[in-house]
Amino acid sequence: VERIVIVGGNAAGMSAAARAKRVNRDLDITVVESGAHVAYSICGAPFLISGELREASGLVHFTPEEFQSQRGSRVLAETEAVHLQPGLKRLEVLCRRSGRRDVLAYDRLLLATGYKPRRPRIQGLDHPLVFTLARLPDALAIRDLVDAGQVRDVLLVGGGYIGLELCEALRRRGCRVLLVEESESVLGTLDRDMSEIVARELRLNGIELALGSTVGELRKTQDAGRIAALLQPAESWSTVNLVLIDIGVEPNVELAERAGIRLGRSGAIEVTERLETSVFGVYAAGNCAEAFNLVSGRCETSCLATVASKQGRAAGDNLAGRLARFGGHVGTSILRVFGLEVGSTGLNTSQALSCGFRADAVKISAPVAAAYLPESTQVTLKVVFDRSNGRLLGAQAIGPRGVAARINVLAACLHQRQTVEEAAQLDLAYAPSFSQAWDPVHVAMHAAQRVMAGRAR
Ligand SMILES: Cc1cc2nc3c(=O)[nH]c(=O)nc-3n(C[C@H](O)[C@H](O)[C@H](O)COP(=O)(O)OP(=O)(O)OC[C@H]3O[C@@H](n4cnc5c(N)ncnc54)[C@H](O)[C@@H]3O)c2cc1C
C-alpha cells in the first residue's frame, strides 16, 4: 500500500486528500495539521465577527473525525510537522497535546502549509489586544472580545481585502474603526482612481481613514482593556480597545526550506505544473507554493482559496499517480465593501506596465439593468489592455451589484488570451432585469477599440 502524507489540513491539503482517495481508494493517506480545526472556510470569518453567522461550526466542512470516517484519510490534528528528511522519506511530527514525537514514513508527501500573516517590525506587538486574522481561533478570539462588549474603538492596520471586510464586520457591531494604510490608497490590487471609489464608500459608512500613515509603536496603558498606538507621520497617540493587523501575508515555507527544497524568486516553494518540488516525491500546493500567472507570465505567491483548492486537487491526482496539471491563474478576486461589490482580474495598469506591456486603460460606467427599471444601478468597469495588439490584460469593476458577472466573463477572456476585438463579440445574456442589450463588458470593449483606433476616448 502506498503511503501519502499531507502537511496542512485546509483548502489545498484537504482538496488533495479527498481527490487522491477518490482516484485510488487503496492509498494510505495521513493529513498532519498543527491546528485543532481542518477543512474550514476562514473566508467566512468576517461574517462570524459581524454576527451574521452565529455558529463557527457553519464554517467547518468536516471535523477531523468526520473527514477520517467519510473520506477515508487519517487526520492527525494538533500535530505539527517539525522535520522533513526527504532523503529517508520520513517526516517527524510533534503532537501538541501529548508532547510526543513520532516519525511517519511516506512514499509521496504534499506540503500544503499555506501562508502566515506578515507582522510589522514595531514594539508592543505581543500585547493581548493585538490580533492578526489567519485561522479560525483568531476569528473566535476577536468575536469573543466584541461579544463581551469590550470593544468600542478599533485600529485596523492595513487596507487589504481582509482589513476592509473587517471594517464592515466591526461597524456592524457598532465599533468605531480607524483604518491606517501606509500607501495613499486602499486595496493595492486596484488602480488609484478605482480605489478612491472604495475609500469614499468606507468614509460614507463611518470608517475613519488615515492614508499614507503607519503605526510606529504600540504601548500598554493603565487600563488593561485599552492599548495606545503611535500614528506616523502625525506622531500622535491613539488609544483603542483592539488592534487588527492586515499588512499582507508570506508563504509558510520553513519546513520546506530546512529540508533543502528550492524556493522560487517570489519566496514561495517552486513547483512544476504537476506541483512537484525540486525534491523527488515531494509536492507542494496552495498558498505555500508558487502559482503561474497566465497574464504576467510570472510565478508568484497567491493568497486566495480559489488557487489553493485547484492546486490541491491537481496535486491529489498526482499523488495518486494520475497525471494532472495546474495550468495557472489570472488573479481573480471579489469582495463586498458595505454597499459595493469590488472585483478584479488580471493586472492593474501599473502591474501591466511593470511587466513590460504597452498598457493602456479605459473606464466606463454602464447600467446593470435597463435604465427604465427602478432596480437599475451602474457598474464602473475599468479595462486594461495592450495597445500594441489589443490583448486584454486585466479588469476592475465596482458597483452595488452585477460585478461578479462582468469580472468572471473577463477572467475567462484572460484565460483565453482574448483581445478587445474578440471580447467585443461575446454573446452575453440580456434581459432588462440584468443588463442592457450592450452589456457593460461590450461598452468597455468599444471604448478600448476607439483608443486602439486612435480616436478620442
Ligand atoms: C479572513 C479571510 C478571508 C478570506 N476570504 C477569501 C475569499 O473570499 N476568497 C478567497 O479566494 N480566499 C479568501 N481567503 C484566503 C484563503 O483562506 C486562503 O487562500 C486559503 O485558506 C489557502 O489555503 P491553503 O490550504 O493553501 O492554506 P491554509 O488555509 O493557510 O492552510 C494551511 C494549513 O497548514 C497548517 N500548517 C502549517 N504549517 C504546518 C506544520 N508545520 N505542520 C502541520 N500543519 C501545518 C496550518 O495550520 C493551516 O491549517 C481569506 C482568508 C482570510 C484569512
Side-chain angles (χ1 to χ4, degrees), residues 189 293 295 330-333 344-348 351 393-395 410-411 414:
T189 44
N293 185 310
V295 187
V330 295
T332 309
S333 67
S344 64
T345 187
L347 309 178
N348 64 27
Q351 288 166 338
L393 300 172
L410 288 162
L414 293 179

Side-chain angles (χ1 to χ4, degrees), residues 333-349:
S333 67
I334 189 162
L335 77 154
R336 187 184 76 188
V337 182
F338 294 99
L340 294 178
E341 300 171 357
V342 181
S344 64
T345 187
L347 309 178
N348 64 27
T349 309

